[in-house]
Amino acid sequence: EDQVTQSPEALRLQEGESSSLNCSYTVSGLRGLFWYRQDPGKGPEFLFTLYSAGEEKEKERLKATLTKKESFLHITAPKPEDSATYLCAVQAGNQFYFGTGTSLTVIP
Amino acid sequence: ETGVTQTPRHLVMGMTNKKSLKCEQHLGHNAMYWYKQSAKKPLELMFVYSLEERVENNSVPSRFSPECPNSSHLFLHLHTLQPEDSALYLCASSQDRGRGLGYTFGSGTRLTVV
């Protein structure tokens, strides 16, 4: 069964404390893996798309990587404004599969 | 105005009411979607409209009824809802369904059924 699993469910970091979020997937025929940021009461905001193993994308303090089984979202020296829920989704064919997200809190 | 716009942002309705959610996209995309987001659960696809087809999630109750009059507008008509239908309803659009280009989401409608 196609599935997307994100871990951890919640993460608390001190400001400046780097860490990584994980998204593991079991789908056939990956067309793309997507990372979104979602603030409370708002819709998900697109961050990155990764298409093939070995690919990396960066944006400010965020870096996304992809292997054949999982993706990591690395957060370097996070700031309080990075606090949000980070969602991972994969596309296989015409189907999108979402994870349940990682809630990140960055403490000043 | 750009992006995907949803109205209203918040909605409180009784179980006997009829209401509609509206979504408009200004991106020239060819596919639009309704998703339901509940706490601790993955986003649940409810309906898809694209140039090629309309797709429904067969588990969505008939008290939810979509309407897509053109490629830029999408509605979700609600009637006789249940308290468990309270959730964040998200509209999204994409250039098409199959090219792996991802979604652009609206800000959502927070629905509370009382």
Side-chain angles (χ1 to χ4, degrees), chain A residues 4 9 31-32 34 36 38 40-46 49 51 85 87 91 93-100, chain B residues 9 33 35 37 40-43 45 53 55 88 90 96-108 110:
Chain A
V4 177
E9 184 176 322
R31 287 202 171 183
F34 308 88
Y36 290 89
Q38 186 172 23
K42 295 187 178 181
E45 175 187 348
F46 171 78
T49 307
Y51 292 106
T85 295
L87 293 173
Q91 182 176 3
N94 285 344
Q95 303 299 318
F96 265 78
Y97 303 92
F98 282 87
T100 53
Chain B
R9 290 297 310 278
Y33 312 79
Y35 274 89
Q37 188 175 33
K40 307 291 186 182
K41 293 183 179 180
L43 270 68
L45 179 64
E53 61 185 337
V55 177
L88 182 67
L90 293 165
D96 62 38
R97 289 195 68 202
R99 290 172 57 191
L101 297 176
Y103 292 164
T104 301
F105 284 91
S107 295
R110 171 63 65 183

Side-chain angles (χ1 to χ4, degrees), chain B:
Chain B
E1 194 170 355
T2 59
V4 178
T5 303
Q6 288 188 244
T7 55
R9 290 297 310 278
H10 302 274
L11 179 61
V12 178
M13 59 186 289
M15 289 189 284
T16 59
N17 291 159
K18 290 184 179 181
K19 296 286 185 182
S20 296
L21 310 184
K22 179 182 176 182
C23 177
E24 184 174 359
Q25 60 100 356
H26 309 272
L27 300 168
H29 287 171
N30 294 317
M32 297 185 75
Y33 312 79
W34 281 117
Y35 274 89
K36 176 182 180 181
Q37 188 175 33
S38 303
K40 307 291 186 182
K41 293 183 179 180
L43 270 68
E44 177 187 352
L45 179 64
M46 301 177 73
F47 303 101
V48 182
Y49 278 87
S50 71
L51 288 179
E52 300 81 30
E53 61 185 337
R54 164 181 161 170
V55 177
E56 300 184 22
N57 180 341
N58 291 329
S59 67
V60 176
S62 60
R63 55 187 182 266
F64 294 91
S65 174
E67 178 189 0
C68 189
N70 54 59
S71 61
S72 298
H73 294 85
L74 186 64
F75 296 89
L76 188 63
H77 303 299
L78 316 172
H79 64 96
T80 59
L81 294 190
Q82 303 299 310
E84 60 264 29
D85 298 320
S86 299
L88 182 67
Y89 289 84
L90 293 165
C91 174
S93 70
S94 66
Q95 192 159 352
D96 62 38
R97 289 195 68 202
R99 290 172 57 191
L101 297 176
Y103 292 164
T104 301
F105 284 91
S107 295
T109 295
R110 171 63 65 183
L111 174 66
T112 303
V113 181
V114 297

Side-chain angles (χ1 to χ4, degrees), chain A residues 34-85:
Chain A
F34 308 88
W35 282 99
Y36 290 89
R37 170 191 170 129
Q38 186 172 23
D39 293 301
K42 295 187 178 181
E45 175 187 348
F46 171 78
L47 292 174
F48 303 109
T49 307
L50 301 167
Y51 292 106
S52 57
E55 190 175 359
E56 299 182 351
K57 294 274 180 74
E58 286 190 66
K59 180 181 179 179
E60 297 181 353
R61 295 177 292 281
L62 301 176
K63 180 180 178 179
T65 62
L66 181 64
T67 73
K68 289 186 177 181
K69 295 182 178 181
E70 58 191 349
S71 176
F72 291 94
L73 184 64
H74 307 277
I75 302 176
T76 302
K79 298 182 177 181
E81 53 262 40
D82 295 322
S83 298
T85 295

